[in-house]
Amino acid sequence: MIAALDAHAQAALVRSGEVPPFALVEAAMERIEKVDPAVNAVSHRAFDHALEASRQVDRAAPMAGVPYLLKASLEYPDFPMLSGSRTRAGTTGKARYPFTARLDAAGLIPCGMSTMPEFGLIGTGEALLYRPTRNPWDLTRSSGGSSSGAAVAVATGMVPFATGSDGGGSIRIPASHCGIIGFKPSRGWNLRARGASLADDLLTSDGLYGRTMRDTAWAARFLRSQPGETKTTDTLRVAVSLKGLDGLQPDPAVAEVIGKAAALCETLGWRVELCEPPIDRGALSRAFDVLWSYGGGEVVDLCRARLGTQADSLLEPWTLGLARRRDGMTADDLAAALSAIAEIDRSLDAFWQKYDVVLSPVTSSTPPPLGVLAPDREFDGLWNDHFRHVNYTQLQNMAGYPGLSLPLFMASDGLPAGAMFWTGRGGDDQLLALGTVLEEAQPWAGRRPQAANLI
């Protein structure tokens, strides 16, 4: 069954002449129609476009005919560009940035767009525009955010690839919640995916979700703007960190998964020690608070400039709350945030002399029930619950470091919980090599969510 194959295996069917490119697209269309009603991961079906493109694709391209989904915030000519918001109704993409142009050159075929929270500003896929995107392991749970539908679509085998973007954990969090791989490259290491934005340029990286390391590593390198180097994993030094930016430990179910991942690393001959990176967690938590509030405020400013007073009735309460939070901040708050970020490399200079990578949770708990992080909750309570849940992934965005969430073990409650490995800026290939070794030691490809059984 094609749904069980990763992108490389699907491309091999075309390359060998066993199937034509359009057969892969037709199989993806069928899977989407069967599976998506249960999980609500696809915001736009572009089936006519996909079939036409698959009949014209260059069969010599490395991924000729392989279907994928675009995240709803990624601009692509003649595709909707809603970014999960009711304020973007009728907006259509016009530009083709280098990131999507490279996907086209690979022979990949976009067959639709995935769901996401409004403007990617919250770590759950519960946009009021779309309704909830459900976790394929438990339909009552969150799929994470902001690359919500993308992770669900790959986890359920609707497509082998889907684009994701990560400004505060938005690739790694859904990957952890949905039981797939989530790789965030170093700052500036992926091709340009969108127009200029201060917050995006500082925080956000883009990539492709995959279920196997060979797909993930290929995508990371194919979409790269920076040269890489071969890394070995023979004598890795791993620091295990359990504290989030709030200084607290994760729930026991997540801590147990990280403990199992650490034990697995030891069986590979790696040196593993419990050691918290010497960073100012309080200052960095406040820094991300400032940056995220400024990002939400910028969104509200732009929507109000375009739509006037109508904007406030269309924007979600969470987004409006971020703008109010921004309005209470000062220039000194922003200066302190940027100063704290500038200190990260200096703080970790000696640490990286002793350790190669850090192993930590992705979130403080397994996927929460739908509604816990819903964007129309009372703002202050939602703020506290949200950043208690997602307080491990923001450091890498602020520092520009790469991070890799791996689905090594299921948690004791039967839900996925990723193990995140991260390192200093430019260490992308080391993480990809590490992931490949761990996949061989603890294979996860045969582990599929219940929603995948609808295929």
Side-chain angles (χ1 to χ4, degrees):
M1 183 172 65
I2 290 177
L5 303 178
D6 69 358
H8 275 79
Q10 291 193 30
L13 294 177
V14 171
R15 192 161 47 250
S16 68
E18 187 172 343
V19 301
F22 68 80
L24 303 184
V25 170
E26 288 179 339
M29 290 163 48
E30 180 181 356
R31 293 196 299 276
I32 289 170
E33 294 291 5
K34 287 183 177 179
V35 177
D36 192 56
V39 292
N40 190 36
V42 181
S43 64
H44 171 68
R45 289 161 169 73
F47 293 168
D48 289 343
H49 168 92
L51 287 171
E52 180 63 23
S54 68
R55 289 185 168 91
Q56 298 180 14
V57 72
D58 179 2
R59 295 194 183 201
M63 290 288 167
V66 174
Y68 77 103
L69 292 179
L70 290 154
K71 189 173 177 178
S73 57
L74 198 60
E75 187 167 5
Y76 194 83
D78 300 322
F79 277 44
M81 193 178 172
L82 301 183
S83 297
S85 177
R86 296 172 295 186
T87 66
R88 303 282 295 176
T91 305
T92 302
K94 297 178 175 59
R96 192 189 311 268
Y97 287 96
F99 184 88
T100 50
R102 183 67 64 86
L103 296 178
D104 288 344
L108 289 161
I109 307 295
C111 58
M113 306 195 87
S114 61
T115 56
M116 62 179 289
E118 184 169 68
F119 296 109
L121 291 170
I122 196 167
T124 186
E126 300 179 57
L128 301 185
L129 173 66
Y130 301 133
R131 300 173 296 104
T133 295
R134 299 179 180 276
N135 191 299
W137 294 89
D138 180 340
L139 299 179
T140 70
R141 301 278 179 157
S142 169
S143 56
S146 67
S147 304
S148 316
V152 172
V154 171
T156 56
M158 285 190 262
V159 286
F161 276 143
T163 70
S165 56
D166 191 319
S170 289
I171 287 175
R172 291 160 289 159
I173 293 166
S176 175
H177 284 356
C178 295
I180 62 172
I181 305 164
F183 176 66
K184 183 202 93 68
S186 291
R187 178 183 298 136
W189 274 55
N190 63 266
L191 292 169
R192 190 85 192 175
R194 60 186 57 80
S197 164
L198 176 61
D200 266 344
D201 288 348
L202 177 65
L203 297 176
T204 304
S205 300
D206 292 79
L208 283 177
Y209 278 126
R211 292 197 306 272
T212 64
M213 278 308 304
R214 67 174 180 173
D215 281 359
T216 302
W218 174 85
R221 290 166 179 147
F222 192 77
L223 294 167
R224 181 172 288 173
S225 64
Q226 300 289 330
E229 56 182 298
T230 302
K231 294 284 186 178
T232 63
T233 57
D234 295 337
T235 57
L236 279 184
R237 301 165 298 172
V238 181
V240 179
S241 168
L242 291 175
K243 289 184 180 179
L245 287 185
D246 60 3
L248 300 177
Q249 302 271 335
D251 289 357
V254 171
E256 183 180 5
V257 166
I258 302 307
K260 288 181 178 179
L264 175 63
C265 291
E266 288 183 319
T267 68
L268 297 171
W270 301 347
R271 194 188 81 198
V272 180
E273 297 176 356
L274 183 64
C275 181
E276 295 293 342
I279 55 174
D280 188 337
R281 286 175 168 77
L284 289 172
S285 180
R286 291 190 295 273
F288 195 80
D289 174 347
V290 171
L291 293 178
W292 210 244
S293 299
Y294 265 86
E298 181 181 30
V299 163
V300 173
D301 292 345
L302 291 171
C303 289
R304 286 172 175 167
R306 183 167 56 89
L307 299 172
T309 56
Q310 185 186 13
D312 284 27
S313 65
L314 295 173
L315 287 164
E316 294 180 349
W318 172 252
T319 306
L320 292 168
L322 290 175
R324 290 193 302 272
R325 196 173 180 91
R326 183 277 313 264
D327 292 343
M329 293 175 176
T330 67
D332 287 341
D333 291 326
L334 183 57
L338 296 175
S339 177
I341 292 170
E343 283 293 305
I344 297 174
D345 282 341
R346 186 194 64 78
S347 298
L348 293 178
D349 184 58
F351 179 83
W352 292 130
Q353 302 304 311
K354 187 176 181 181
Y355 298 101
D356 300 303
V357 297
V358 178
L359 165 61
S360 72
V362 179
T363 57
S364 64
S365 73
T366 55
L370 290 168
V372 170
L373 302 180
D376 53 357
R377 270 190 60 195
E378 179 270 327
F379 182 83
D380 290 341
L382 176 57
W383 175 274
N384 292 332
D385 289 347
H386 180 256
F387 284 106
R388 170 63 191 131
H389 184 61
V390 296
N391 69 101
Y392 288 93
T393 51
Q394 293 80 30
L395 170 65
Q396 297 80 41
N397 295 88
M398 289 187 284
Y401 295 167
L404 176 68
S405 175
L406 295 176
L408 294 172
F409 300 98
M410 298 292 285
S412 56
D413 59 5
L415 294 170
M420 181 169 65
F421 294 85
W422 57 275
T423 189
R425 191 163 43 250
D428 300 49
D429 285 300
Q430 186 165 62
L431 293 186
L432 295 171
L434 171 154
T436 300
V437 171
L438 288 171
E439 181 183 42
E440 292 173 354
Q442 183 70 24
W444 55 73
R447 196 189 309 145
R448 303 295 295 275
Q450 65 175 26
N453 296 330
L454 296 169
I455 297 174

